[in-house]
Amino acid sequence: MTGSETYAGDEKLIFGIDLGTTMSAVSFCHLQVGAQPRVRLVTKWPGQEDAAGDCKLPSLVRYNTAGEPVAFGADALENAAGIDGTLARWFKLHLHPQSMKTTGTNTLEIPPLPEGVPLKQVYAHFLNYLYSHSTAFFRDNSHDGPSIWERLQDSIEIVLAVPNGWDTPQQGFLRDAVVLAGILPEGHAPRRLQFVSEAEASVHFALQHSEGERWLRPGTNFAVLDAGGSTVDTTLYRCTAITPKLQLEEVTASECVQAGSVFVDRDAEKMLRLKLKESKFSGDEYIQEMMEVFEKKTKRKFDGSADQSVIAFGRARDNDPACNISKGRITLTSDEVALTYQGVIYDIHESFERVLERADKFCDAHLMVGGFSESPYLRKTLRERNSHRGMQIVSIDDGTKKAAAEGATLWYLRQTVVARAARAYFGTNMTTPFLATDSMHQERAHTKFTDPDGVIRIGPLLSVWCSKNEIIRGDESRSFDYCRMYPSDTFEASQLAGFEMQIYACDNNVRPYWLYDATNVKTNDHLASGTRPVCKIVGDLSNLRSSMKLLNGLGGKKYYKVDYTVEVFFGQTALCAELTWQDNGVTKKGPLTLIPDSVL
């Protein structure tokens, strides 16, 4: 639905959550028949009474020595002095897949979790806090809020915004955390918890606030850069239709690099420690005070001009002329501050270049969203580096909002993106007949085996379901034919019940052939470079028994064969699949369940 349409479906209450590395936010929308949907943000958080209207709160949980959460958000900082324990911060970084941790030049020492508190429990505690306060905000700040809540609380639907680089394993982790938090019950309907990439949420936010009708036309290509605390996502879209509904397609696979604002903070701390190495102000307490000012003021104001930056951290008697410290203030040159941005700007620019190179399309506009995109220096530098392209750079100036949080609910309402690009090769394991004349087969000859049909096979290979950068429509499904064979003399019906397929992804730019490295083929315990398990698809083939065929294999040995098709839906924000088969010429279908692989 568009922003001007009235709602005609069942009454619903939707919450969109963006749990960020440094800051989080929540949006919501009460859908009523005949009313125009209005997305609102939670704008009051405990400990932030002086920041009325700001929807963002720090992603922090403070634990006591017993491992119990005692404070959240701004309160977790304010209460730091009075509580013995540990502050859980930047815990989102623990969930990043390896493919994200090795992208770009930035690496970050992730703060450890509180002792004895698993990552999933930290997520559950913070999600529970976000949800509990958000629902209370809705009840207290909505007309007839308590009665609406009473009516809809058992059917609430939630949209979680996640980084572009996260996949099925991370989604599975979050599903568990939401249940552990008590937000949704075990076995809840799938529609009650949905995921959207931060980039896709951000494009909905950007178009809502950028007056897109002035420049957006069918055929327009534009990039959305979502710069957050830890990751910077870049996605290139093409507008394919304006009426009767705005429709966008991804042009190529999105980029996700670790180049967010926390890396500026990291390099600023390194710079200060080096600058003050021989000073009495090199201690952790002084450095921490300087960093608090740097994060809140210096980083947000710096625009690259020649003006010096002054950080007030101490008292009037604190002086060290050799380090430019006078009366409790340290003065940094423009070059010193600019140096803290050098690594992230390089990675962001290179990421943008890769997107444009793959797409080979002229980019009409470049939309910048996310908290880090508010940096005047980041904006200025990216404008300068892309000035030769002649594209319009559009910044969404609203520092009180968080793009992915509002965009998550807007995405639920509008579903503007109708086709997405695969960020990796996806597929499952398969085998192939052994060829004695093939040197690659000979290298792995000790893994060959004889199937019930008598054919000697070798593997596993990767049966590719979709290729990296391939554009797939959200309403598109693809079917892949497979079979299972069983020796007739040992077959038992119970064997059909344990159907399972392991799904893999390969992040490399070249299509993989073998699933495992040749150097480890004897044990098959090392996946090929760039390849990772994603999830298992499990189901029950018992209903296919009537369609099984008794056949003669090589050497006359009889075996059963059952043919089936796996129908896969790739173009949605989460992988879906179902089982189909033929029974006396009639097509039948059965459910398949996705079980995400563990992320830890």
Side-chain angles (χ1 to χ4, degrees), residues 530-549:
T531 306
R532 52 188 167 84
V534 174
C535 64
K536 290 183 178 68
I537 293 180
V538 299
D540 190 342
L541 300 183
S542 298
N543 291 331
L544 280 68
R545 185 172 184 182
S546 61
S547 63
M548 291 181 65
K549 302 171 184 175

Side-chain angles (χ1 to χ4, degrees), residues 323-434:
C323 296
N324 289 333
I325 295 177
S326 175
K327 296 181 179 180
R329 298 168 179 264
I330 182 170
T331 300
L332 303 177
T333 68
S334 177
D335 288 342
E336 286 176 322
V337 180
L339 187 64
T340 67
Y341 286 80
Q342 185 174 353
V344 297
I345 287 177
Y346 175 83
D347 281 344
I348 292 169
H349 180 69
E350 289 298 301
S351 174
F352 186 53
E353 290 290 323
R354 287 193 295 270
V355 169
L356 294 185
E357 183 178 354
R358 285 199 307 269
D360 193 26
K361 300 285 185 183
F362 176 77
C363 188
D364 301 279
H366 189 184
L367 279 62
M368 296 180 64
V369 300
F372 188 29
S373 75
E374 297 165 13
S375 161
Y377 186 60
L378 177 62
R379 293 182 184 182
K380 174 185 175 181
T381 307
L382 293 182
R383 281 193 175 97
E384 290 173 349
R385 295 194 177 195
N386 292 287
S387 60
H388 64 285
R389 291 196 164 98
M391 64 183 176
Q392 179 183 4
I393 295 185
V394 182
S395 300
I396 313 300
D397 291 306
D398 194 337
T400 65
K401 292 188 175 181
K402 206 167 191 297
E406 182 176 343
T409 302
L410 288 169
W411 167 84
Y412 182 96
L413 300 175
R414 298 178 185 175
Q415 302 283 319
T416 297
V417 179
V418 297
R420 301 173 181 86
R423 297 191 71 253
Y425 290 93
F426 286 90
T428 189
N429 54 304
M430 62 171 290
T431 61
T432 188
F434 175 73

Side-chain angles (χ1 to χ4, degrees), residues 228-375:
S230 64
T231 59
V232 176
D233 297 336
T234 303
T235 312
L236 188 60
Y237 293 97
R238 178 188 296 113
C239 176
T240 58
I242 294 290
T243 57
K245 175 185 175 181
L246 175 64
Q247 292 191 348
L248 306 176
E249 293 183 355
E250 287 187 15
V251 176
T252 186
S254 59
E255 285 275 335
C256 183
V257 292
Q258 286 200 125
S261 61
V262 296
F263 295 97
V264 177
D265 300 339
R266 175 204 61 183
D267 289 348
E269 183 174 341
K270 288 182 179 179
M271 178 267 293
L272 287 170
R273 290 189 181 279
L274 184 62
K275 183 181 179 73
L276 303 174
K277 185 177 180 181
E278 305 300 328
S279 171
K280 67 178 182 179
F281 300 108
S282 61
D284 290 343
E285 183 176 346
Y286 286 117
I287 294 293
Q288 187 58 42
E289 289 179 0
M290 294 177 195
M291 283 305 304
E292 288 179 6
V293 178
F294 180 88
E295 292 174 28
K296 293 179 180 178
K297 295 182 179 180
T298 310
K299 181 176 65 174
R300 301 181 186 187
K301 292 181 179 180
F302 182 67
D303 60 5
S305 66
D307 296 339
Q308 295 178 326
S309 297
V310 178
I311 295 177
F313 71 93
R315 293 163 295 183
R317 65 173 180 268
D318 291 331
N319 298 284
D320 189 338
C323 296
N324 289 333
I325 295 177
S326 175
K327 296 181 179 180
R329 298 168 179 264
I330 182 170
T331 300
L332 303 177
T333 68
S334 177
D335 288 342
E336 286 176 322
V337 180
L339 187 64
T340 67
Y341 286 80
Q342 185 174 353
V344 297
I345 287 177
Y346 175 83
D347 281 344
I348 292 169
H349 180 69
E350 289 298 301
S351 174
F352 186 53
E353 290 290 323
R354 287 193 295 270
V355 169
L356 294 185
E357 183 178 354
R358 285 199 307 269
D360 193 26
K361 300 285 185 183
F362 176 77
C363 188
D364 301 279
H366 189 184
L367 279 62
M368 296 180 64
V369 300
F372 188 29
S373 75
E374 297 165 13
S375 161

Side-chain angles (χ1 to χ4, degrees), residues 358-578:
R358 285 199 307 269
D360 193 26
K361 300 285 185 183
F362 176 77
C363 188
D364 301 279
H366 189 184
L367 279 62
M368 296 180 64
V369 300
F372 188 29
S373 75
E374 297 165 13
S375 161
Y377 186 60
L378 177 62
R379 293 182 184 182
K380 174 185 175 181
T381 307
L382 293 182
R383 281 193 175 97
E384 290 173 349
R385 295 194 177 195
N386 292 287
S387 60
H388 64 285
R389 291 196 164 98
M391 64 183 176
Q392 179 183 4
I393 295 185
V394 182
S395 300
I396 313 300
D397 291 306
D398 194 337
T400 65
K401 292 188 175 181
K402 206 167 191 297
E406 182 176 343
T409 302
L410 288 169
W411 167 84
Y412 182 96
L413 300 175
R414 298 178 185 175
Q415 302 283 319
T416 297
V417 179
V418 297
R420 301 173 181 86
R423 297 191 71 253
Y425 290 93
F426 286 90
T428 189
N429 54 304
M430 62 171 290
T431 61
T432 188
F434 175 73
L435 298 175
T437 57
D438 190 316
S439 60
M440 292 177 64
H441 285 213
Q442 284 290 354
E443 186 180 22
R444 301 168 184 253
H446 57 281
T447 66
K448 64 185 180 182
F449 63 96
T450 303
D451 251 346
D453 61 356
V455 176
I456 299 175
R457 288 184 168 84
I458 192 172
L461 294 73
L462 184 64
S463 173
V464 175
W465 286 355
C466 73
S467 298
K468 189 173 182 178
N469 295 312
E470 188 175 356
I471 308 300
I472 306 172
R473 289 189 58 85
D475 56 2
E476 177 183 350
S477 67
R478 298 184 179 182
S479 298
F480 303 93
D481 297 327
Y482 295 101
C483 71
R484 292 286 170 100
M485 293 178 287
Y486 308 91
S488 62
D489 55 350
T490 60
F491 173 73
E492 295 182 3
S494 59
Q495 293 175 265
L496 293 171
F499 171 73
E500 180 179 295
M501 297 179 76
Q502 176 68 55
I503 309 305
Y504 300 91
C506 181
D507 300 303
N508 296 343
N509 292 322
V510 179
R511 172 175 174 157
Y513 185 70
W514 299 105
L515 193 53
Y516 291 90
D517 285 330
T519 54
N520 297 288
V521 71
K522 290 184 180 181
T523 56
N524 271 3
D525 60 354
H526 282 76
L527 289 169
S529 175
T531 306
R532 52 188 167 84
V534 174
C535 64
K536 290 183 178 68
I537 293 180
V538 299
D540 190 342
L541 300 183
S542 298
N543 291 331
L544 280 68
R545 185 172 184 182
S546 61
S547 63
M548 291 181 65
K549 302 171 184 175
L550 182 62
L551 304 172
N552 290 318
L554 296 178
K557 192 171 184 179
K558 293 184 179 297
Y559 69 98
Y560 286 110
K561 181 185 179 187
V562 58
D563 296 294
Y564 58 91
T565 298
V566 176
E567 189 173 8
V568 185
F569 300 85
F570 285 105
Q572 302 175 18
T573 56
L575 189 67
C576 302
E578 65 180 5

